[in-house]
Amino acid sequence: MNPREYEAIIFDFDGVLAESVDVKTRAFAELYADYGPEMVSRVVAHHLAHGGVSRYEKLRYYHEEFLRRPLGEEERQLLLERFENLVEDAVVASDWVSGARECLEQHVGRVPLFVVSGTPQGELERIVERRGIARYFVSVHGSPLGKTAHLRNIIGQRGFRPRCAVVIGDSMTDYDAAMEVGATFIGRVPTGADNPFPPAVSIVPDLTDLGLGASGVTGL
């Protein structure tokens, strides 16, 4: 495809722009530490295997499937508040994924840039503001609305051709959402990490060499 045919770049946040995946892994482990190491191991394994799924869904799943009891609204709110307190400052302070800042600088004002994340909307907006990067993005989109719905809204409301919207993510949740709407997908898989994506998916270890031209994405 001609690079000028690419009309938008849509980034996941944790693990794509910021090296913040471990922050949330530790937070989930702490939330369930009172239930013992086996429970913590199950929670952490599920969290890592389902990156991009919102914490709302994960907390409900851990209670219903692992603890075998419903998650009441009061307990849910307490867990969400505790989780937010554990992660927000750490995510703000986390390192950039290599090449991410440079990628944003290269494309801001040339290609519309967006964030679609499983992080709650208000928290995501605060993190983006506190990191000083809000100026790069046309808009940022978090939970509780799912990623597929966000992608569909961005593409539909702005009139992008689906295949000309490039989604960059680090989880099958990101990949599945991109495939659902017909977008182009690039997977971020850190060096040494297991590749969760199908064999035909283009992957990169970081954002230093995406094949991004000054007016679009090339080399896909």
Side-chain angles (χ1 to χ4, degrees):
M1 293 177 64
N2 186 306
R4 294 186 183 278
E5 293 185 6
Y6 286 90
E7 298 169 352
I9 305 173
I10 304 168
F11 301 87
D12 181 32
F13 191 85
D14 298 305
V16 172
L17 294 176
E19 296 285 18
S20 47
V21 172
D22 286 350
V23 170
K24 296 185 177 180
T25 302
R26 291 193 296 271
F28 275 114
E30 186 164 337
L31 287 188
Y32 288 93
D34 290 345
Y35 296 100
E38 182 178 349
M39 178 64 178
V40 169
S41 294
R42 295 179 73 188
V43 165
V44 167
H46 180 277
H47 165 65
L48 293 174
H50 296 83
V53 175
S54 77
R55 68 192 65 169
Y56 305 107
E57 295 181 49
K58 288 180 177 178
L59 291 172
R60 178 189 56 77
Y61 184 87
Y62 300 154
H63 273 65
E64 293 180 358
E65 299 298 323
F66 296 167
L67 296 177
R68 296 295 179 182
R69 62 178 176 83
L71 178 61
E73 183 58 27
E74 183 177 352
E75 184 179 12
R76 175 178 173 273
Q77 287 301 323
L78 289 172
L79 287 171
L80 287 171
E81 288 174 13
R82 188 177 172 202
F83 190 96
E84 183 178 315
N85 289 335
L86 287 169
V87 304
E88 185 171 324
D89 288 347
V91 172
V92 170
S94 62
D95 292 337
W96 284 94
V97 168
S98 293
R101 187 69 178 260
E102 293 79 6
C103 179
L104 297 178
E105 287 284 359
Q106 182 182 13
H107 293 283
V108 65
R110 296 191 178 108
V111 181
L113 308 178
F114 303 84
V115 172
V116 171
S117 170
T119 300
Q121 182 69 33
E123 182 180 323
L124 178 63
E125 291 173 356
R126 291 195 303 273
I127 288 168
V128 167
E129 286 288 347
R130 291 177 63 190
R131 286 182 71 99
I133 60 175
R135 69 181 182 86
Y136 294 116
F137 305 109
V138 174
S139 54
V140 301
H141 305 267
S143 61
L145 198 63
K147 292 193 171 187
T148 300
H150 279 313
L151 293 181
R152 189 172 286 118
N153 288 342
I154 290 169
I155 290 168
Q157 291 171 6
R158 297 186 175 271
F160 300 134
R161 291 168 293 175
R163 71 189 184 96
C164 298
V166 181
V167 176
I168 305 175
D170 68 336
S171 71
M172 284 299 295
T173 303
D174 302 315
Y175 171 79
D176 290 340
M179 295 302 98
E180 192 73 21
V181 302
T184 297
F185 181 79
I186 301 172
R188 192 260 165 143
V189 181
T191 301
D194 293 335
N195 179 7
F197 303 115
V201 172
S202 297
I203 62 171
V204 292
D206 52 45
L207 270 61
T208 58
D209 188 19
L210 284 174
L212 294 172
S215 57
V217 180
T218 63
L220 299 181

